[in-house]
Amino acid sequence: MKAIQKKIIIAPLNWGLGHATRCVPIVNALLENNYIPIIASDGNALTFLKKEFPNLEYLVIPAYNISYHRNLKLGLLLQIPKVLKAVREERKIINDFILKNKDVAGLISDNRFGVRSSLVPSVYITHQVNVLSGSTTFITSYFHQKIIKKFDECWVPDNKDSEFSGKLSSTKKNLNIKFIGVLSRFKKEELTQNIDVLVILSGLEPNRSFLENKLISAFKNDSRSIVFVLGKVVATQKSWISENNTFYNYLLSNDLQKLINSSKIVICRSGYSSIMDLAVLGKKVFFIPTEHQQEQEYLASFLEQKKYAPFSEMKDFVKEDISKTEIYKGLKTTETILDAGLFRLFERKRKL
């Protein structure tokens, strides 16, 4: 008799596209190991994953609606009430769905606090066990770790020595952490590198647009092959040429993989998912961290200190800066293959 396939709900936070993109290899691994993934999210993250996996089941859960604030600490503090409301709502939706669907065997939450249940094993994905917030880092890290402890396991997408996440994932506390290796939706291909500079934009508005305008101005009428991927996930994918530069509003994984593999230098934010993608593809990269986002500022500085990649603040960037990549090693790591052992906790008997 054929075994009944178990369903696993996988729920990335809708904050830029990084949480959604790093869930792609997990979804693929679940499919390869005879599980049925159910995607739960909202906004652009949900739209992106629907395009990547059009045949899967989807569950809409409440948006956290975390908006950008120049003072990130103050902005997050002011938004705590609406985030907590969304967390309560998403937990109710998830638990109601589990009660109605007896074949749900587990939950995988990528930074969504309410996607957990006492009925099935619950996993939390984060590279940021420690949440940097300047003088309040101890407090923000303490509360994040309290949340992590409510899950059965915490999966950190990095190598065991915290190679790319540094102090963000380093802790001596018992949080049931598993370092599961570097996650990327991409595979390295040996292609002709006919793109001189590939600009990949991402993140929350208005910062995404600020960087777009800065870099379009910097590379206007440049004689080299310059390609922009704007990170605007909309209903229709399109491309165009302007001021000698090629533009795409967005690209799905296969097309973006080819562009990155065909590029000599990548310019992007120092978001953690971007770092993992470019490491798997072995790329030279120039980072421009999001202003006032301490995680990205730390990662850019950390990787520069390791001589992996240079960076600059947006206001200081000039196109000549990218020549600095010649004296850096570039990002490089081996691709992580997720095997059935990672999902063993989902084989537990479900609680009634």
Side-chain angles (χ1 to χ4, degrees):
M1 181 182 293
K2 187 177 179 181
I4 297 174
Q5 286 183 287
K6 295 182 177 180
K7 293 179 178 178
I8 306 295
I9 297 174
I10 181 163
L13 179 66
N14 180 35
W15 176 285
L17 286 180
H19 297 281
T21 60
R22 72 184 184 190
C23 284
V24 169
I26 296 177
V27 173
N28 284 325
L30 287 169
L31 290 167
E32 290 165 4
N33 286 281
N34 205 37
Y35 293 97
I36 301 175
I38 299 173
I39 309 295
S41 194
D42 67 278
N44 282 344
L46 187 61
T47 300
F48 167 79
L49 288 168
K50 281 184 174 181
K51 291 177 181 294
E52 289 285 322
F53 301 102
N55 298 320
L56 292 184
E57 183 177 354
Y58 291 86
L59 183 62
V60 178
I61 51 180
Y64 286 15
N65 283 327
I66 303 172
S67 56
Y68 176 79
H69 194 283
R70 286 191 63 84
N71 184 324
L72 191 60
K73 286 186 284 187
L74 177 61
L76 291 175
L77 184 64
L78 294 173
Q79 295 174 81
I80 285 175
K82 70 176 181 181
V83 170
L84 291 178
K85 182 174 183 289
V87 168
R88 288 192 295 270
E89 291 175 355
E90 74 180 354
R91 190 162 188 210
K92 183 178 186 308
I93 291 170
I94 292 295
N95 274 289
D96 287 348
F97 188 88
I98 293 171
L99 289 170
K100 293 175 183 176
N101 295 268
K102 302 302 183 183
D103 49 357
V104 174
L107 302 172
I108 301 175
S109 163
D110 191 323
N111 279 258
R112 298 199 74 124
F113 307 149
V115 181
R116 59 184 176 83
S117 173
S118 60
L119 299 173
V120 297
S122 306
V123 171
Y124 189 76
I125 300 176
T126 187
H127 64 279
Q128 205 171 175
V129 175
N130 301 303
V131 181
L132 303 187
S133 59
S135 60
T136 59
T137 291
F138 172 79
I139 298 171
T140 50
S141 298
Y142 170 78
F143 282 106
H144 194 212
Q145 290 165 16
K146 281 195 70 174
I147 292 168
I148 292 171
K149 285 181 178 179
K150 295 179 180 180
F151 290 77
D152 295 283
E153 289 184 358
C154 175
W155 293 352
V156 174
D158 198 353
N159 300 322
K160 285 186 177 180
D161 58 355
S162 298
E163 180 180 6
F164 296 105
S165 54
K167 68 181 181 182
L168 297 180
S169 64
S170 300
T171 182
K172 295 180 179 179
K173 295 182 179 179
N174 181 17
L175 300 174
N176 291 320
I177 287 176
K178 281 187 178 180
F179 284 86
I180 64 173
V182 173
L183 295 181
S184 176
R185 54 182 164 148
F186 299 134
K187 295 186 181 297
K188 187 172 178 58
E189 299 175 283
E190 297 299 331
L191 302 177
T192 302
Q193 296 193 342
N194 52 14
I195 298 173
D196 292 307
V197 181
L198 174 62
V199 177
I200 303 176
L201 299 172
S202 60
L204 301 180
E205 295 291 3
N207 275 28
R208 192 211 60 80
S209 291
F210 291 159
L211 185 57
E212 176 185 334
N213 295 334
K214 173 76 172 183
L215 295 179
I216 287 175
S217 176
F219 290 104
K220 184 177 179 180
N221 289 321
D222 196 291
S223 61
R224 294 169 294 182
S225 171
I226 314 292
V227 177
F228 284 78
V229 180
L230 300 180
K232 297 178 178 178
V233 181
V234 292
T236 304
Q237 181 181 320
K238 62 179 181 178
S239 64
W240 65 96
I241 296 175
S242 176
E243 309 289 358
N244 291 340
N245 297 330
T246 301
F247 292 83
Y248 296 88
N249 55 349
Y250 76 93
L251 290 172
L252 294 179
S253 294
N254 288 340
D255 291 330
L256 184 55
Q257 174 179 295
K258 291 187 182 301
L259 281 191
I260 299 175
N261 278 302
S262 300
S263 65
K264 297 174 184 175
I265 297 172
V266 176
I267 300 175
C268 66
R269 296 294 196 190
S270 48
Y272 191 66
S273 294
S274 297
I275 291 168
M276 290 193 295
D277 287 338
L278 296 171
V280 167
L281 299 184
K283 301 308 297 184
K284 291 274 191 174
V285 56
F286 190 95
F287 288 121
I288 304 177
T290 302
E291 188 179 12
H292 303 303
Q293 192 166 321
Q294 292 189 330
E295 173 205 357
Q296 288 196 14
E297 291 171 341
Y298 164 73
L299 287 170
S301 177
F302 173 67
L303 296 174
E304 188 204 35
Q305 290 171 14
K306 297 187 77 169
K307 294 298 179 184
Y308 284 165
F311 78 96
S312 82
E313 295 181 17
M314 184 181 73
K315 63 182 176 61
D316 298 327
F317 177 82
V318 292
K319 67 180 181 181
E320 289 76 17
D321 284 343
I322 63 174
S323 64
K324 296 176 184 177
T325 58
E326 296 174 6
I327 61 173
Y328 286 78
K329 293 183 288 188
L331 299 175
K332 189 173 183 180
T333 192
T334 55
E335 179 187 359
T336 299
I337 305 300
L338 300 175
D339 60 27
L342 183 64
F343 307 127
R344 194 166 292 129
L345 78 164
F346 300 133
E347 298 303 316
R348 298 176 189 170
K349 187 175 181 181
R350 176 172 161 159
K351 297 177 183 177
L352 299 177

